[in-house]
């Protein structure tokens, strides 16, 4: 039997669709059903890698984990990775098909509609329920005739739709009613219920508004989901960083405020085209660590660690870094012996040269020199390396010094640049496997007498052993006499906790009936 479908759309981006889909996936799984997530088109710079080397949005990897489903490119057949100047790298079925302008992408939508339909069909044949996530809002009237991710998919899947509004940002009633008004009649008929998300107040004070909302639209409110603290799930994109800039905290134990004078200060350079920042979130939850995203030279001088993270456009972000004076600040820091970690694009920037004559990663086609702190030379090529990897520590450094020899670490690679080390230059890690195939390859480089470390492996800091080694090393460097705090522990199974909150907040029997599961 072909799978039932349920779709979650929102009145705007960051309304909470991703987490609601993850919760529904876990709830259906706990009911004994084979369930899979699906998002036809995702626009995000936080990506993940499937076991066979395909690239998809990190959000769908999170949802698949909640569903207990094997990760597949069918769960996110189209991934758009913004590059600036109205261009995106377009990933179709896990592989890059090039960098396109908005107009060029729209010209391909007829072809891509078939890709979406095929992926959805395969998921429905292999599962009992497919929970579908929309993007942005279904009421973008300027895009209605060409969208591939909201009502187009709802019609394709014949899916009832739950419409989610974020009350924490304000204006939730206006956004829900306004969305309904802008939908076509047949689209409004698909809206099976409203969900009010991220509520922090007294529910009794909200009830009159809910009754008026249903009376005005004829659509039931399925429930009010509270703001959930300390979930510790990876961010889908950079909206969470914007929230922090506005002083809004994602958790009750705010990562934006130091908990003590002796906290380790970790700063991350916030590139304009910052990518895969979700891999740094485990550091935020470590006790005694204060992690901040910065863009001014004076903010990096006194930090215990500076991280240059991944970038979607390495050369353009390197030019930005120099223009901001951050290159000189890094040089002064390294001269004083201050540790610097570069990950993927950040690693490439720290090298001696970067060549991108074909404009693979940047609109800047010429050859540019790197910052010169690592004995690496990078040249971009059209074929992208996308792989889940296993690695072990190699040369000693502030990052790896506390790891026992032979420790196996996991992570993933997503890069087009091929890095070549100078002869005899040390590498912090050696790869032992790529996409399940045995390899023996050095990764990254160590420079400036061990003060600078670069790696092309994403996700290393998601390994508890690496975080423990790093934090112990940073504390030792500043002579901290206090013993290291106990490792941060997540409060139980995060997906079960999320699912419990959502189930207690919604009319779950009605959700099951809407899905066709009597």
């Amino acid at each position: 039997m072909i799978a039932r479908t349920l779709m979650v759309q929102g009145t705007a981006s960051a309304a909470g669709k991703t987490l609601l889909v993850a919760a529904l996936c876990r709830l259906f799984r706990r009911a004994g059903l084979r369930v899979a997530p699906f998002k036809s088109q995702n626009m995000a710079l936080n990506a993940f890698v499937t076991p066979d080397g395909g690239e998809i949005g990190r959000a769908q990897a999170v949802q698949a984990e909640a569903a207990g489903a094997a990760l597949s490119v069918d769960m996110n057949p189209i991934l758009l990775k913004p590059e600036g100047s109205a261009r995106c790298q377009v990933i179709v079925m896990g592989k890059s098909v090039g960098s396109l302008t908005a107009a060029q992408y729209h010209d391909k939508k007829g072809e891509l509609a078939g890709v979406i339909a095929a992926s959805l069909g395969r998921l429905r044949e292999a599962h009992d329920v497919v929970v579908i996530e929309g993007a942005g809002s279904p009421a973008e009237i300027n895009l209605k005739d060409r969208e591939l991710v909201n009502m187009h998919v709802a019609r394709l899947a014949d899916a009832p739709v739950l419409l989610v509004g974020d009350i924490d940002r304000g204006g939730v009633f206006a956004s829900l009613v306004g969305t309904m008004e802008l939908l076509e009649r047949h689209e409004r008929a698909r809206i099976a219920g409203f969900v009010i998300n991220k509520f922090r107040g007294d529910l009794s004070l909200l009830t009159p508004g809910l009754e008026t909302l249903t009376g005005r639209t004829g659509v039931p409110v399925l429930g009010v989901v509270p703001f959930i603290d300390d979930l510790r799930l990876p961010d889908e994109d950079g909206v969470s960083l914007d929230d922090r800039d506005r002083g809004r905290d994602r958790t009750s134990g705010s990562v934006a405020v130091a908990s003590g004078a002796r906290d380790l200060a970790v700063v991350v350079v916030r590139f304009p085209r910052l990518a895969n920042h979700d891999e740094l979130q485990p550091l935020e939850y470590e006790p005694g660590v204060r992690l901040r995203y910065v863009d001014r030279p004076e903010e990096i001088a006194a930090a215990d660690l500076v991280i240059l993270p991944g970038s979607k456009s390495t050369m353009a972000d390197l030019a930005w870094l120099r223009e901001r004076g951050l290159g000189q600040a890094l040089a002064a820091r390294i001269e004083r012996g201050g540790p610097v970690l570069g990950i993927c694009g950040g690693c490439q920037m720290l090298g001696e040269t970067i060549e991108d004559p074909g404009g693979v990663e940047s609109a800047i086609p010429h050859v540019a020199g790197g910052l010169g702190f690592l004995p690496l030379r990078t040249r971009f090529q059209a074929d992208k390396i996308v792989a889940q990897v296993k690695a072990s520590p190699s040369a000693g450094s502030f990052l790896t010094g506390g790891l026992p020899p032979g420790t196996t670490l996991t992570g993933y690679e997503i890069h087009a640049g091929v890095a070549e080390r100078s002869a005899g230059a040390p590498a912090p890690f050696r790869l032992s496997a790529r996409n399940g195939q045995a390899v023996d390859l050095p990764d990254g480089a160590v420079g400036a007498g061990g003060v600078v470390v670069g790696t092309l492996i994403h996700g290393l800091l998601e390994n508890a052993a690496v975080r423990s080694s790093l934090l112990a090393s940073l504390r030792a460097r500043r002579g901290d006499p206090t013993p290291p705090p106990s490792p941060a522990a997540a409060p139980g199974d995060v997906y079960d906790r999320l699912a419990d909150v959502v189930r207690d907040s919604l009319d779950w029997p009605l959700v099951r009936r809407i899905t066709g599961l009597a």
Side-chain angles (χ1 to χ4, degrees):
M1 185 180 75
I2 195 163
R4 303 286 189 177
T5 57
L6 179 66
M7 188 167 193
V8 176
Q9 298 183 13
T11 58
S13 296
K17 300 183 293 291
T18 297
L19 290 185
L20 185 56
V21 168
L24 293 171
C25 284
R26 175 51 62 94
L27 288 168
F28 287 129
R29 178 194 176 192
R30 293 197 320 203
L33 300 168
R34 298 172 302 161
V35 58
F38 179 74
K39 186 167 185 173
S40 61
Q41 172 190 287
N42 198 348
M43 178 177 284
L45 288 177
N46 287 351
F48 200 67
V49 178
T50 63
D52 58 353
E55 190 175 356
I56 67 172
R58 183 63 187 259
Q60 280 61 65
V62 167
Q63 293 162 351
E65 188 173 25
L71 198 58
S72 163
V73 294
D74 281 328
M75 295 171 179
N76 178 209
I78 302 172
L79 174 63
L80 306 179
K81 305 185 78 171
E83 296 178 328
S85 303
R87 299 184 71 89
C88 282
Q89 183 183 52
V90 180
I91 312 293
V92 178
M93 297 303 292
K95 305 298 180 185
S96 172
V97 298
S99 177
L100 305 180
T101 65
Q104 290 170 332
Y105 179 68
H106 288 316
D107 288 342
K108 291 178 67 69
K109 284 193 170 180
E111 168 191 339
L112 294 176
V115 173
I116 291 168
S119 287
L120 178 61
R122 284 189 290 270
L123 288 179
R124 295 189 72 183
E125 288 173 359
H127 298 85
D128 301 314
V129 179
V130 176
V131 186
I132 305 169
E133 181 183 350
S137 163
E140 303 291 352
I141 55 179
N142 58 313
L143 300 175
K144 289 285 286 294
D145 63 335
R146 64 190 77 172
E147 66 92 7
L148 294 174
V149 68
N150 285 311
M151 286 301 178
H152 169 84
V153 176
R155 290 192 299 272
L156 182 66
D158 193 21
V161 174
L162 308 185
L163 185 62
V164 183
D166 177 2
I167 195 170
D168 193 44
R169 290 176 181 265
V172 69
F173 295 114
S175 63
L176 289 167
V177 173
T179 298
M180 293 293 288
E181 288 294 323
L182 291 172
L183 295 178
E184 303 294 333
R185 179 178 297 179
H186 65 91
E187 294 172 331
R188 287 197 296 271
R190 287 202 175 274
I191 305 297
F194 295 136
V195 177
I196 309 294
N197 200 20
K198 306 181 190 178
F199 183 64
R200 298 178 187 258
D202 182 343
L203 187 56
S204 65
L205 299 178
L206 191 63
T207 302
L210 303 181
E211 294 171 349
T212 301
L213 177 63
T214 296
R216 185 181 183 101
T217 63
V219 175
V221 177
L222 300 183
V224 178
V225 180
F227 192 96
I228 307 173
D229 291 331
D230 200 20
L231 269 179
R232 306 188 185 189
L233 288 173
D235 289 329
E236 179 179 20
D237 51 36
V239 174
S240 62
L241 301 184
D242 295 332
D243 285 347
R244 292 174 212 181
D245 288 345
R246 289 193 296 267
R248 295 161 55 93
D249 299 323
R250 191 166 37 81
T251 67
S252 59
S254 167
V255 296
V257 179
S259 58
R262 297 298 295 174
D263 282 351
L264 289 172
V266 178
V267 300
V268 182
V269 177
R270 186 174 180 178
F271 298 129
R273 301 157 190 85
L274 174 68
N276 288 80
H277 75 270
D278 55 299
E279 66 181 311
L280 304 177
Q281 283 179 248
L283 275 180
E284 295 182 281
Y285 299 113
E286 288 286 347
V289 175
R290 181 188 183 192
L291 186 143
R292 295 182 300 121
Y293 289 81
V294 305
D295 57 10
R296 297 194 301 271
E298 61 270 21
E299 294 178 296
I300 71 174
D304 293 285
L305 173 65
V306 173
I307 299 177
L308 273 61
S311 164
K312 182 61 195 72
S313 299
T314 302
M315 294 181 69
D317 279 347
L318 174 59
W320 170 89
L321 183 147
R322 285 183 163 130
E323 291 167 3
R324 303 280 296 191
L326 287 160
Q328 292 178 335
L330 285 169
R333 174 184 175 80
I334 293 168
E335 181 68 23
R336 295 192 303 271
V340 175
L341 171 63
I343 302 174
C344 199
C347 171
Q348 295 163 348
M349 293 181 201
L350 289 168
E352 296 169 350
T353 62
I354 305 176
E355 301 179 16
D356 191 11
V360 173
E361 279 281 332
S362 171
I364 304 173
H366 62 270
V367 177
L371 294 171
F373 303 129
L374 287 176
L376 280 179
R377 295 175 297 280
T378 298
R379 183 179 181 87
F380 287 104
Q381 60 183 21
D383 293 335
K384 203 173 184 180
I385 296 175
V386 181
Q388 290 189 2
V389 300
K390 292 183 179 179
S392 58
S394 181
S397 68
F398 67 85
L399 182 64
T400 60
L403 294 173
T407 302
T408 299
L409 309 168
T410 59
Y412 54 99
E413 293 178 286
I414 305 176
H415 58 90
V418 175
E420 178 183 326
R421 265 164 310 284
S422 300
F429 301 99
R430 290 196 75 85
L431 301 183
S432 59
R434 265 184 179 158
N435 291 333
Q437 300 297 313
V439 298
D440 183 18
L441 299 170
D443 164 75
V446 179
V451 169
V452 183
V453 175
T455 175
L456 296 177
I457 304 175
H458 290 288
L460 280 172
L461 291 172
E462 296 174 19
N463 291 266
V466 176
R467 295 198 306 277
S468 178
S469 172
L470 170 63
L471 298 180
S473 172
L474 294 179
R475 291 188 178 96
R477 290 181 71 89
R478 71 180 191 183
D480 193 338
T482 59
S486 300
D493 185 292
V494 67
Y495 297 115
D496 279 336
R497 178 170 171 248
L498 172 64
D500 288 343
V501 172
V502 169
R503 176 164 184 159
D504 290 345
S505 304
L506 301 186
D507 185 339
W508 180 239
L510 180 53
V511 172
R512 285 181 60 90
R513 290 198 297 275
I514 288 170
T515 312
L517 303 169

